[in-house]
């Protein structure tokens, strides 16, 4: 199961990275055509764009891979591997979105790669899927409240809300991963138990809101920056919840290495967000520079 989880997480990273670039390209094209970037109508207009629709299909593959990884691996490992979609996004963006990666961008990306290798070496192969019903309800209520607040703030910020939107979308993806991890009625499969579980409602709300808010953010902000802050949210939240509430742990004696890997992953993603937000994403024709 551990190997299956690793493979699923890697496939999710590839799918999410490709999806982000395709949806960013399609959303920006739709926004330019409709003149409603960063609004609900602008997000709806994106669904008429073939590139965006292809990206939407790809994100479904990412969700399946991420869900399998969340069930079979400690969340701090599963989400950190899935967070590798940041690298896929950055690399594909140079080709499809005509962005360029500077030397310091590459350094931040390599830091994330290093962190993922460290986490993989230190993570325990055990992952519990049990949590009491109070946890399920708390997850649902908190996720719903954050989603409503996030949309309200996004509307207030308008064109300035790209980074905030990426962060909220990341929290939604993180909540989704936690909900998948604890969902009852999966093994053995019992559809009635699944439907009655508040974790299933969390999956529906978090998935829909993450997709919607991320689409708005991609219309108005640089794709690398939005993806980077999203990665911090979708990695940090599940990791903390997994360790505190679900019994996730590192291999005995390697707890320090897991902490180093996780901190490096967060720092690397944050650096990409800061660099691309501060200096902007440069045209690819300029090449890599410092």
């Amino acid at each position: 199961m551990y190997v299956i989880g690793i493979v699923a997480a890697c496939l999710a990273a590839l799918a999410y990275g490709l999806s982000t670039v395709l949806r960013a390209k399609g959303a920006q094209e739709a926004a330019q055509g409709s003149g409603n970037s960063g609004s609900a109508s602008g997000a709806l207009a994106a669904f008429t764009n073939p590139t965006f629709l292809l990206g939407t299909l790809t994100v479904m593959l990412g969700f399946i891979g991420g869900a399998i990884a969340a069930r079979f691996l400690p969340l701090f490992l599963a989400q950190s591997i899935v967070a590798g979609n940041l690298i896929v996004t950055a690399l594909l963006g140079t080709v499809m979105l005509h962005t360029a990666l500077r030397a310091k961008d590459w350094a931040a990306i390599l830091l994330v790669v290093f962190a993922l290798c460290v986490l993989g070496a230190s993570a325990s192969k055990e992952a519990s899927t049990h949590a009491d019903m109070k946890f399920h309800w708390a997850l649902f209520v908190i996720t719903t409240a954050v989603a409503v607040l996030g949309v309200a703030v996004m509307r207030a910020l308008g064109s300035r809300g790209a980074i905030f939107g990426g962060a909220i979308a990341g929290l939604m993806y993180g909540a989704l991963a936690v909900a998948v991890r604890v969902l009852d009625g999966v093994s053995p499969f019992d559809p009635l138990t699944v439907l009655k579980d508040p974790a299933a409602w969390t999956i529906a709300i978090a998935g829909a809101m993450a997709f919607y808010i991320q689409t708005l953010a991609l219309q108005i902000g640089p794709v690398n920056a939005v993806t980077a802050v999203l990665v911090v949210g979708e990695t940090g939240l599940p990791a903390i919840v997994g360790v505190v509430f679900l019994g996730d742990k590192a291999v005995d004696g390697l707890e320090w290495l897991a902490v180093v890997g996780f901190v490096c992953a967060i720092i690397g993603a944050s650096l990409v967000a800061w660099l691309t937000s501060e200096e902007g994403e440069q045209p690819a024709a300029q090449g890599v520079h410092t």
Side-chain angles (χ1 to χ4, degrees), residues 205-287:
I205 291 175
M209 296 310 299
F211 186 87
Y212 170 68
I213 295 174
Q214 185 186 15
T215 298
L216 295 182
L218 289 172
Q219 285 185 322
I220 58 179
V223 62
N224 284 350
V226 171
T227 303
V229 292
L230 185 151
V231 161
V232 173
E234 75 172 348
T235 305
L237 173 65
I240 294 171
V241 171
V243 171
V244 175
F245 297 103
L246 302 179
D248 287 350
K249 61 181 181 178
V251 175
D252 290 341
L254 293 180
E255 291 85 358
W256 66 271
L257 190 59
V259 172
V260 169
F262 182 72
V263 170
C264 286
I266 296 297
I267 291 175
S270 300
L271 280 174
V272 175
W274 176 67
L275 290 170
T276 54
S277 297
E278 181 184 62
E279 300 181 36
E281 294 179 340
Q282 305 299 320
Q286 296 179 15

Side-chain angles (χ1 to χ4, degrees), residues 157-195:
L157 291 175
S159 60
R160 300 169 296 165
I163 301 302
F164 175 82
I168 293 297
L171 292 177
M172 291 294 101
Y173 280 122
L176 189 154
V178 174
V180 168
R181 168 70 170 274
V182 302
L183 182 64
D184 291 335
V186 174
S187 181
F189 181 64
D190 182 344
L192 184 59
T193 299
V194 170
L195 292 175

Side-chain angles (χ1 to χ4, degrees), residues 4-28:
I4 293 175
I6 293 292
V7 172
C10 291
L11 292 177
L14 291 172
Y16 277 139
L18 176 59
S19 170
T20 297
V21 175
L22 289 174
R23 285 188 292 139
K25 186 176 179 63
Q28 290 169 9

